Amino acid sequence: MKMFYFILLFEQKPVILVKNRKSWGIRKKRNINFFYLGSTLLDCFGGFLLEIPIPYVFFASEGLLNTSEILKLLESNYNITLMERCYSESLKLFGDTKHYVVLTIDEHTAIILQDLEELNCEKASDNIIMRLMALSFQYSYCWIILYNKNTLNSEYHLTERTLHQLALIYAALVSFGLKSEELDVKLIIVPGVEETTLMIRQIADHSLMTSKKDPHEWLDKSWLEVSPSQEEMYLLDFPCINPLVAQLMLNKGPSLPWILLATLCQLQELLPEVPKKVLKISCALNYHNSKKDV
């Protein structure tokens, strides 16, 4: 049985959490008991990778231009370069895109930078859940980083409404996840922009270390095109294809027509690093479209 997995991590030391006793009082009052305080990703690898200037290149949705502080910190502190792409049409259906940004880390993994401010809006939990449902067609792992983009300090901003929305998200994941393709969701709350960029770097390190691909191959993005081609834009109309997978298909495949006519076995042989569910949906849509054209 396939379902969503939900973990809520606080990426700070326990002493920091003591500053927000009001938030914990709210949690206790409302009987919200799904919080999990876990060790950081930094602890998992001993932090040694942070000392290495690894040249990361990721795709990011266009909303990141509105968070210039994050862009500067990622480039200057962590040697991370971002290539911009438009939001997918499916994501545009679920709330204002100004509240979040989607980063594509690899073929399997996405990060959603989610502004805490949206959790004070009506139907925020519904919109976030529907975005996750849409992204579940493209990715197998999704990290949601909740942060306050208007602050550089180290204070959490968890209101009663925020915690209530988190509870609704958790409940919806459990309910809807039973009927969806597998998506491993981890939700992390960080207090500010600096901690957000550190977390992005830690998730990148984690993805690199746990990938089945050779590290040099995983890091090599020299073949990526900065500007999207017409062929890439065509592939991005498929709800299951993210920007990295689209360029990977075009880079490895003989041609776009071949990709569109290929069988599932052919695509799996060509693209073993791409999640099988992505290729299955792509083939199903191609078959459906070919039938309509007949």
Side-chain angles (χ1 to χ4, degrees):
M1 183 180 294
K2 294 185 177 181
M3 63 175 65
F4 287 96
Y5 297 91
F6 185 90
I7 298 176
L8 180 57
L9 303 173
F10 281 89
E11 282 301 320
Q12 281 288 348
K13 299 301 181 183
V15 65
I16 301 296
L17 296 176
V18 175
K19 294 181 180 180
N20 294 280
R21 291 180 179 177
K22 181 179 179 181
S23 296
W24 291 105
I26 293 171
R27 176 194 65 79
K28 184 176 181 181
K29 178 182 177 181
R30 299 189 65 87
N31 195 28
I32 299 174
N33 58 8
F34 61 87
F35 286 81
Y36 170 74
L37 300 181
S39 60
T40 65
L41 293 175
L42 183 64
D43 294 332
C44 296
F45 299 116
F48 73 93
L49 285 180
L50 287 175
E51 305 300 323
I52 305 174
I54 302 174
Y56 286 117
V57 179
F58 303 133
F59 283 107
S61 55
E62 54 199 332
L64 200 60
L65 291 178
N66 299 323
T67 54
S68 58
E69 190 64 34
I70 287 182
L71 280 174
K72 288 188 286 188
L73 288 172
L74 287 175
E75 292 176 357
S76 61
N77 292 0
Y78 302 114
N79 201 24
I80 294 176
T81 301
L82 298 175
M83 301 171 65
E84 185 185 60
R85 287 296 183 270
C86 296
Y87 288 95
S88 66
E89 292 302 316
S90 59
L91 287 178
K92 292 178 182 178
L93 299 174
F94 309 120
D96 197 329
T97 55
K98 71 178 182 180
H99 292 299
Y100 69 96
V101 172
V102 179
L103 304 181
T104 299
I105 304 303
D106 59 21
E107 299 85 359
H108 295 261
T109 310
I111 297 175
I112 300 178
L113 300 183
Q114 175 67 53
D115 185 8
L116 273 168
E117 180 184 347
E118 187 180 12
L119 291 183
N120 293 317
C121 301
E122 189 178 356
K123 295 184 178 180
S125 58
D126 292 342
N127 287 331
I128 291 173
I129 287 298
M130 295 310 296
R131 289 171 202 156
L132 288 172
M133 297 293 282
L135 291 172
S136 71
F137 293 111
Q138 299 181 10
Y139 304 95
S140 299
Y141 307 99
C142 185
W143 300 77
I144 305 177
I145 301 178
L146 285 172
Y147 76 107
N148 190 330
K149 68 180 180 181
N150 296 321
T151 181
L152 290 174
N153 62 28
S154 296
E155 292 288 335
Y156 288 100
H157 297 266
L158 298 178
T159 65
E160 184 171 359
R161 181 186 287 269
T162 298
L163 294 172
H164 177 66
Q165 293 280 16
L166 289 174
L168 293 177
I169 292 170
Y170 171 73
L173 284 174
V174 172
S175 175
F176 295 134
L178 297 176
K179 301 177 182 178
S180 68
E181 285 290 325
E182 183 177 352
L183 181 65
D184 187 339
V185 179
K186 292 182 174 64
L187 193 152
I188 304 167
I189 299 179
V190 295
V193 171
E194 292 183 359
E195 292 82 4
T196 298
T197 55
L198 171 61
M199 181 51 55
I200 292 171
R201 171 59 198 264
Q202 288 181 268
I203 293 172
D205 292 342
H206 175 78
S207 299
L208 173 62
M209 294 292 288
T210 57
S211 173
K212 296 179 181 179
K213 293 176 69 173
D214 176 81
H216 295 287
E217 183 183 359
W218 194 95
L219 288 169
D220 180 22
K221 298 295 190 297
S222 59
W223 48 274
L224 289 178
E225 298 290 338
V226 176
S227 300
S229 63
Q230 288 186 334
E231 290 82 2
E232 181 186 342
M233 295 299 292
Y234 182 88
L235 289 175
L236 290 178
D237 282 338
F238 287 68
C240 60
I241 296 179
N242 66 55
L244 181 60
V245 169
Q247 289 216 21
L248 191 63
M249 286 179 162
L250 295 171
N251 183 60
K252 286 192 169 185
S255 65
L256 179 59
W258 185 93
I259 293 170
L260 298 178
L261 294 174
T263 64
L264 177 59
C265 290
Q266 288 175 317
L267 288 178
Q268 284 185 285
E269 184 178 354
L270 179 71
L271 304 161
E273 60 271 74
V274 176
K276 184 178 179 180
K277 66 179 179 181
V278 171
L279 301 179
K280 286 177 65 176
I281 298 171
S282 176
C283 286
L285 291 174
N286 286 329
Y287 178 78
H288 177 71
N289 291 335
S290 65
K291 286 294 184 181
K292 288 173 58 178
D293 295 337
V294 174

